[in-house]
Amino acid sequence: MSSVSVVIPCYRYGHYLEQAVASVLDAQPGMDVRVLIIDDASPDGSGEVAMAIAAANPRVEAVAHATNRGHIATYNEGLLDWADGTYSVLMSADDLLTPGSLRRSVDLLDAHPGVGFAYGYAVRFRDGESLPAPLTESRGWSVWSGRDWLDRRFRLARSGISSPEVVVRTAVQQEVGGYDAGLPHLGDTQMWMRLASRSDVGYVRGVDQAWYRQHADNMSLAYDEVAELRQGRIAFDSILQTLAAEGVDVTRMARLVHRKLAWEALFAATRAYDEGRAAEAPIDGLVEFASECWPSASRMPIFHTLRLRRLLGPRTMAALAPVVPPARGVRFLVESRDRYDTTWEAVEALARPGRQSVRFA
């Protein structure tokens, strides 16, 4: 039987741990699962919670760091030094797996030995709210070559993956190595692409594979829009370097992602005017980043959309908001033809009332 090693890093998230561990052990029947909780020197007693959970369950181990090592070092400790299952999962202590999600991913991975990782949909919910009822009946699989999957990620300049919904083949994980300490925010985006550069990619269709908790302490909130875009560029450029070293002509992929990142920066600035945030948004930084990525950014239609808003100013834009088409409509028109990998995935997105649009696109 295939086994799964689940690594749960924790820093000040002890109050979420019992629920997270239960989602791995109690909601995954028929699976050979072991869990490692790594508390990174939390000052709030989270380490003691982790130790108590491990003492009560033989399938759980716990480590408590004496000093804080940072989340990247903690990830790599669990995935590279401890994980020995057929497959591995890295899950934050504040997230949860949906019932049966490991079985659904493992079935795909067992059936396709060339697939390095499998993922599905991650349902986002706000802390304090009830968990949304998950969809748990799979409607089949999609399997792409790693190069085809990478091509779509470069075209859209994002991975479309949260993190807890991914199950990785441990041998492939340990072949590509650990997370990059130079990418503290988007190291996961880089990781999925590194894995795809070595293997095929699988997607479990029609189901919710994890719950991703949104709250005020999410690490992503510590980065402004410019910093996030810069991290994204570093992540994508690092994969370009890897592919180029292997003899792949990456000219087209580089043009795709750099132009799209420039567009994303200009879109973010435009949206700030639409949402009344122009005074606090890093407009100049976003425009500067766009020009760095794509020297012809000033010729893009989205640049002129932004220019009009800057000429009108925030107060005039607020008054005209009811009659000016919002930037999010521009995004829909630009991305609708590229957003879905198959017609099935477009239909699946429309069939998810109350959920975000599908993140894998």
Side-chain angles (χ1 to χ4, degrees), residues 285-298:
L286 289 165
V287 173
E288 179 183 356
F289 173 82
S291 297
E292 291 173 7
C293 274
W294 194 253
S296 300
S298 61

Side-chain angles (χ1 to χ4, degrees), residues 48 65-67 159 176 182 218:
E48 287 81 356
H65 290 165
T67 58
S159 71
V176 303
N218 285 133

Side-chain angles (χ1 to χ4, degrees), residues 135-303:
L135 303 176
T136 58
E137 191 166 336
S138 174
R139 298 179 181 177
W141 304 324
S142 293
V143 174
W144 303 279
S145 72
R147 286 296 305 277
D148 286 346
W149 190 86
L150 279 173
D151 187 78
R152 180 54 57 92
R153 301 317 116 192
F154 274 77
R155 191 185 310 169
L156 294 170
R158 57 182 177 271
S159 71
I161 297 175
S162 299
S163 183
E165 70 271 32
V166 182
V167 179
V168 181
R169 194 176 299 275
T170 303
V172 179
Q173 175 72 75
Q174 297 186 349
E175 177 186 348
V176 303
Y179 283 70
D180 186 345
L183 286 169
H185 179 40
L186 288 180
D188 53 351
T189 292
Q190 186 205 50
M191 179 56 72
W192 314 136
M193 293 189 293
R194 285 166 62 191
L195 293 166
S197 72
R198 303 286 184 92
S199 64
D200 295 339
V201 179
Y203 182 82
V204 185
R205 298 201 309 251
V207 292
D208 301 322
Q209 290 291 83
W211 285 291
Y212 179 87
R213 191 188 306 263
Q214 295 179 299
H215 52 80
D217 294 328
N218 285 133
M219 283 191 293
S220 60
L221 298 180
Y223 293 81
D224 67 20
E225 291 162 307
V226 178
E228 182 168 359
L229 285 163
R230 290 194 183 281
Q231 286 267 302
R233 181 173 182 179
I234 294 171
F236 279 95
D237 283 351
S238 71
I239 302 304
L240 289 171
Q241 293 172 9
T242 299
L243 294 174
E246 296 173 355
V248 177
D249 183 356
V250 298
T251 304
R252 173 180 166 275
M253 295 174 72
R255 287 176 59 85
L256 280 173
V257 74
H258 291 157
R259 190 179 192 281
K260 186 60 166 64
L261 286 169
W263 189 93
E264 289 287 351
L266 296 174
F267 171 79
T270 302
R271 186 177 58 187
Y273 277 92
D274 290 354
E275 297 176 353
R277 299 184 293 104
E280 60 267 21
I283 303 296
D284 291 339
L286 289 165
V287 173
E288 179 183 356
F289 173 82
S291 297
E292 291 173 7
C293 274
W294 194 253
S296 300
S298 61
R299 300 178 188 173
M300 292 180 171
I302 190 68
F303 180 87

